[in-house]
Amino acid sequence: MKFFYTGSSQVPNFPEFVEVGFVDGLQIEHYDSNSRRFVPKQDWMNKITEEEPQFWEEQTGRGLGHQQTFKAYIEIMKQRFNQTGGVHIFQRMHSCEWDDETDEVSGFHQYGYDGEDFIVYDLKTETWIAPVQQAVPTKHQWDNDKALLAVFKNYHSTECVDWLKKFVEFGRSSLMRKDLPSVSLLQKTPSSPLTCHATGFYPDRAHLFWKKDEEELHEDVVRGEILPNHDGSFQMSADLDLSGLQDEDWGRYSCVFHLAGGQEVSKRLDKRDIRTNWKTNDGGFPTGAAAGGVVAALLLLTGCIMGLIVCLKKRPQASETSSSSGEDPAGKKMLETSS
């Protein structure tokens, strides 16, 4: 489960503040300063209201609070870095990962400013790391605050994992599904690398590779990252350099998609299956290529930019009920020590 918060200053056509949360790559909730409302992004997330009827109203209240806090954060950062106006972004990112077989727990918690790490929490040593000089005062203050360190430790080891388990149970039918992708062979021009593109698979624990006969290829192959699609599924690609490939060897090559759990999709290299948008000498397109080229371009451009923010759980206080998104336990400390 991952959460991203983004506060921005003078960024055109972008909200001043955004929070989002994800479970296994699926967005589960969203808040921004334009709508000023926390909303679920999966139908099964509404099950939380059976236990906590006011959950989304409480989340909205916290979102409004975070919005004001992040506005102050940016002003603090501008002072730290001796800046005045201009475009600036302050981010908080945190997560917890739970292995349901080994029960092992891990995660991360960090803050960033203008695209660079500002301060990072080390879960193993329970201390803060300051990648830049401007963060050193904050590191010293937070490292010496034992109560604050205890809050972070409890959050990542217990609270975050408890909510992750709850959400996994709510969304079991979606999160536990296994969807195989459609696999296409794409090529921009006859001299370009050949792209094997797989899209529509879930979950994102997958491997895409080229092989010759039964041997996986490592040379002349460039693998792309796994990227999210707008519908919650994923896509990835692997490029094969064809420059040294002999015509008689084409049938010996194939692209293989392997999904966690053992399911596979294999596509043998065949010139007739390549989708492209390059024109022939007579100004036309190769047979079947026109539509395929448009599809190829769209598929290669599909993907989402994840980089926003949500707190999982309110800092426990006397007689209060915790929720998945809450106050930043370090937020007040930063405001106190950074001005």
Side-chain angles (χ1 to χ4, degrees):
M1 182 160 60
K2 298 179 180 179
F3 295 85
F4 304 87
Y5 310 57
T6 299
S8 61
S9 173
Q10 299 185 34
V11 178
N13 304 315
F14 191 77
E16 184 181 75
F17 179 71
V18 182
E19 297 188 20
V20 293
F22 295 84
V23 171
D24 286 353
L26 289 181
Q27 187 178 350
I28 60 171
E29 55 188 3
H30 175 93
Y31 172 92
D32 65 61
S33 54
N34 292 340
S35 67
R36 301 171 74 89
R37 293 291 303 172
F38 235 114
V39 294
K41 300 300 288 186
Q42 301 293 329
D43 290 340
W44 45 264
M45 278 294 290
N46 282 309
K47 294 181 181 180
I48 191 65
T49 57
E50 297 175 5
E51 301 177 6
E52 300 185 41
Q54 303 302 313
F55 179 83
W56 294 110
E57 287 75 9
E58 293 173 356
Q59 294 295 81
T60 293
R62 295 185 185 94
L64 289 167
H66 293 155
Q67 179 179 330
Q68 295 303 315
T69 301
F70 269 68
K71 189 173 183 178
Y73 280 166
I74 290 179
E75 292 305 311
I76 291 170
M77 292 298 103
K78 287 163 64 176
Q79 293 177 26
R80 288 279 185 94
F81 287 86
N82 296 319
Q83 298 166 336
T84 53
V87 173
H88 299 288
I89 293 178
F90 185 83
Q91 293 178 291
R92 176 190 177 200
M93 300 162 281
H94 61 86
S95 80
C96 59
E97 182 174 324
W98 166 59
D99 189 320
D100 60 0
E101 294 181 354
T102 66
D103 213 34
E104 182 180 356
V105 174
S106 61
F108 65 80
H109 203 128
Q110 63 192 77
Y111 297 79
Y113 182 62
D114 286 352
E116 302 290 340
D117 287 345
F118 179 74
I119 193 165
V120 180
Y121 181 61
D122 188 326
L123 275 68
K124 293 182 179 180
T125 63
E126 298 177 25
T127 58
W128 290 92
I129 300 169
V132 294
Q133 185 64 34
Q134 290 84 348
V136 172
T138 302
K139 167 186 164 53
H140 291 325
Q141 178 71 19
W142 290 0
D143 279 347
N144 291 326
D145 191 331
K146 302 306 179 184
L148 181 64
L149 292 174
V151 169
F152 274 96
K153 180 179 180 179
N154 181 66
Y155 171 77
H156 282 283
S157 63
T158 304
E159 293 182 6
C160 182
V161 178
D162 288 345
W163 279 102
L164 175 54
K165 292 177 180 179
K166 185 187 294 288
F167 292 152
V168 168
E169 187 60 34
F170 288 163
R172 181 168 294 275
S173 61
S174 295
L175 298 172
M176 297 301 183
R177 76 184 193 276
K178 292 185 181 296
D179 296 337
L180 291 173
S182 60
V183 179
S184 305
L185 301 179
L186 315 173
Q187 191 178 30
K188 292 181 180 180
T189 69
S191 59
S192 300
L194 182 64
T195 297
C196 178
H197 185 260
T199 186
F201 61 88
Y202 187 91
D204 62 351
R205 295 183 295 277
H207 183 44
L208 184 68
F209 58 95
W210 282 96
K211 69 177 184 179
K212 181 180 181 181
D213 298 327
E214 296 304 317
E215 183 178 353
E216 180 177 347
L217 295 174
H218 298 285
E219 295 183 1
D220 301 325
V221 174
V222 177
R223 294 188 180 88
E225 297 180 359
I226 295 179
L227 301 173
N229 289 323
H230 69 282
D231 61 358
S233 65
F234 297 92
Q235 62 167 299
M236 65 188 306
S237 62
D239 293 347
L240 174 66
D241 184 356
L242 299 177
S243 58
L245 186 62
Q246 302 297 319
D247 288 345
E248 60 269 21
D249 290 334
W250 275 62
R252 301 174 62 187
Y253 288 78
S254 57
C255 176
V256 180
F257 172 88
H258 182 88
L259 188 66
Q263 294 175 289
E264 284 190 351
V265 177
S266 180
K267 192 170 189 67
R268 188 166 294 279
L269 182 53
D270 189 325
K271 291 182 180 180
R272 295 169 297 182
D273 291 335
I274 298 176
R275 298 180 179 183
T276 183
N277 56 4
W278 56 273
K279 292 185 178 182
T280 57
N281 292 332
D282 60 4
F285 288 90
T287 304
V294 175
V295 173
L298 291 174
L299 289 175
L300 290 172
L301 289 173
T302 304
C304 286
I305 296 177
M306 301 187 331
L308 311 169
I309 293 177
V310 179
C311 181
L312 279 168
K313 210 168 180 184
K314 183 171 66 176
R315 182 176 179 176
Q317 297 178 359
S319 71
E320 289 190 349
T321 302
S322 296
S323 65
S324 69
S325 296
E327 301 305 322
D328 179 355
K332 185 177 180 181
K333 296 292 182 180
M334 178 179 284
L335 294 175
E336 290 174 346
T337 62
S338 301
S339 57

